[in-house]
Amino acid sequence: MTGRSRTSRRTVLTALLAGAVSVPLLGAAPASSVPATALELPRPTGHRPVGRRTLHLVDRRRSDPWVPAARGRELMVSVFYPARSSGGRPAAYMTEREAQRLLELKGLAGVVPAATVAGTLTHARADAPPAPGRLPLVLLSPGFSVPRTTLTALAVELAARGHLVAAVDHAYESVGTEFPGGRLPPCVACDRVDVDEATVVRGRAADLSFVIDELTDRRSTGALARLIDPGRIGVAGHSIGGAAALATMAADRRVRAGVNLDGGFFVPDAGHGIGGRPFMMIGAEAVHGPGNTANDWAETYDRLHGWKRWLTVSGAGHFSFTDIPWLAEQLGLPDPQVPLSGERGWCITRDYVGAFFDLHLRGISQPLLHGPTSSHPEVGFHRP
């Protein structure tokens, strides 16, 4: 990004913000027509019950890139894991204050009640005792300005399949993340004009490596650390979080496999430094297909020298790989500009991301990843 003007940088970051926090379009439906309804994330296909714990981690060795006066780099982490049983208190989707921040930002405060979003059923149990075993660890990083909660369905799915999953919120990069003491820091990064996307990507890579340090240190996380097999670690992210996934692999040899969900890469020479470790790119065909030369997927793909896949989904939008379309359709608010349904987008995300980590972290053969299938006709394979 060297040489780009401040205006150009602000334009790109603003575009990322506008996309990353957007609830699907409301179409012509007036606010009064939106029903009050109980929301529910998709049920996981794995057979294991899922527990969730929330951690507040602070890296005292680093100053925050957005607020240098802060005492270290703060992160909020939701850890999902196979639980001993399905009993106990349901894990909340988000707090009402977090939900309100998202709704206010997009002008939806009078359309969807914050309590409705916050009360979404997650199919996880808060602080449930973990089941015994040694598990692969998968880290998840959300899109720019979006809280980690938008990847909850994927986190629960992977945990139900037998992974321990850590969804990470990066301080001052989310419009609505509640920290201890009821603090809701603003999205300072959203308003900065003197940084580019590479700054965000590299910062997140450092964040994710720190989370690995903490989660695998028994002095820090105790019983959770005993669950993790440090030789089986993966990372995935949506949008700029997907760029961070590849950057984390390049910076941290402990990460064995990674996935980018519909994000650009932004960092010069993205893909260098990961050797033969596997990486998968899956995104909307309209943006990330080989015919679109404006994105950086082709050049990044060519730098990958291990197992790799470049997949696109016809009819998908930027958020088809998150919880947002699934929930919006339950509210009767589908995005008319995205032909792919929220349910179908979720099924594709679940099947391909689940297959990827089951193959590369659990050693389970996955024919789905061999090539196009009639069961998933929307998914195209490029440069096999």
Side-chain angles (χ1 to χ4, degrees):
M1 300 298 173
T2 302
R4 294 179 60 191
S5 68
R6 289 189 174 190
T7 301
S8 175
R9 289 172 177 171
R10 177 63 179 271
T11 298
V12 175
L13 287 173
T14 300
L16 285 169
L17 171 62
V21 299
S22 174
V23 173
L25 299 177
L26 303 181
S32 60
S33 73
V34 177
T37 184
L39 300 180
E40 179 180 356
L41 292 179
R43 291 184 178 275
T45 61
H47 67 279
R48 303 188 185 196
V50 175
R52 191 201 71 192
R53 295 183 182 177
T54 302
L55 305 177
H56 173 226
L57 304 180
V58 184
D59 187 350
R60 303 292 183 186
R61 300 167 300 178
R62 300 166 55 215
S63 61
D64 190 278
W66 316 115
V67 183
R71 299 182 61 185
R73 175 64 164 164
E74 288 189 271
L75 306 168
M76 291 301 298
V77 183
S78 294
V79 182
F80 300 82
Y81 50 86
R84 289 182 182 272
S85 73
S86 58
R89 174 171 52 92
Y93 187 54
M94 62 173 67
T95 70
E96 286 194 32
R97 295 176 68 212
E98 290 172 329
Q100 188 68 23
R101 282 281 185 92
L102 285 174
L103 293 169
E104 287 176 354
L105 184 70
K106 300 308 294 179
L108 300 177
V111 178
V112 180
T116 297
V117 177
T120 298
L121 180 62
T122 63
H123 302 292
R125 298 290 170 172
D127 300 314
R134 294 279 278 177
L135 307 171
L137 167 64
V138 178
L139 295 95
L140 300 178
S141 183
F144 186 71
S145 81
V146 173
R148 67 193 187 281
T149 49
T150 56
L151 297 176
T152 298
L154 180 58
V156 172
E157 173 67 28
L158 293 174
R161 290 177 179 231
H163 300 80
L164 187 144
V165 183
V168 181
D169 259 339
H170 311 266
Y172 305 108
E173 294 180 22
S174 165
V175 296
T177 296
E178 190 164 331
F179 282 77
R183 293 177 294 131
L184 265 79
C187 185
V188 175
C190 300
D191 297 324
R192 288 281 294 271
V193 299
D194 59 341
V195 294
D196 60 18
E197 303 91 326
T199 301
V200 180
V201 172
R202 294 190 181 103
R204 289 196 177 195
D207 291 344
L208 296 176
S209 285
F210 173 69
V211 172
I212 295 172
D213 293 341
E214 293 292 287
L215 290 180
T216 56
D217 185 347
R218 295 189 182 186
R219 295 170 298 179
S220 299
T221 54
L224 289 178
R226 290 191 290 271
L227 294 175
I228 296 171
D229 180 350
R232 295 187 291 162
I233 298 176
V235 61
H238 172 245
S239 193
I240 208 164
L246 188 58
T248 303
M249 291 182 68
D252 194 327
R253 299 292 301 180
R254 294 174 296 179
V255 182
R256 284 182 47 181
V259 177
N260 180 342
L261 298 169
D262 205 57
F265 288 99
F266 304 117
V267 178
D269 297 331
H272 278 313
I274 72 166
R277 286 172 288 168
F279 195 82
M280 182 171 74
M281 301 148 39
I282 179 168
E285 181 182 47
V287 176
H288 295 296
N292 188 343
T293 59
N295 69 68
D296 55 4
W297 277 32
E299 59 196 72
T300 301
Y301 188 79
D302 290 341
R303 297 190 193 106
L304 303 175
H305 301 298
W307 187 104
K308 59 184 180 180
R309 292 293 183 272
W310 174 357
L311 310 179
T312 56
V313 183
S314 62
H318 187 52
F319 303 103
S320 294
F321 310 93
T322 73
D323 299 347
I324 292 175
W326 175 280
L327 296 177
E329 289 184 1
Q330 290 182 54
L331 291 165
L333 304 173
D335 187 341
Q337 297 181 10
V338 178
L340 192 73
S341 72
E343 179 180 6
R344 190 60 186 155
W346 159 244
C347 290
I348 291 170
T349 304
R350 174 198 68 199
D351 292 348
Y352 283 89
V353 177
F356 176 86
F357 285 120
D358 280 351
L359 172 63
H360 295 294
L361 298 184
R362 300 178 66 210
I364 302 172
S365 178
Q366 299 293 327
L368 181 67
L369 299 175
H370 293 171
T373 68
S374 58
S375 62
H376 296 75
E378 307 95 337
V379 179
F381 283 64
H382 308 288
R383 296 191 187 177

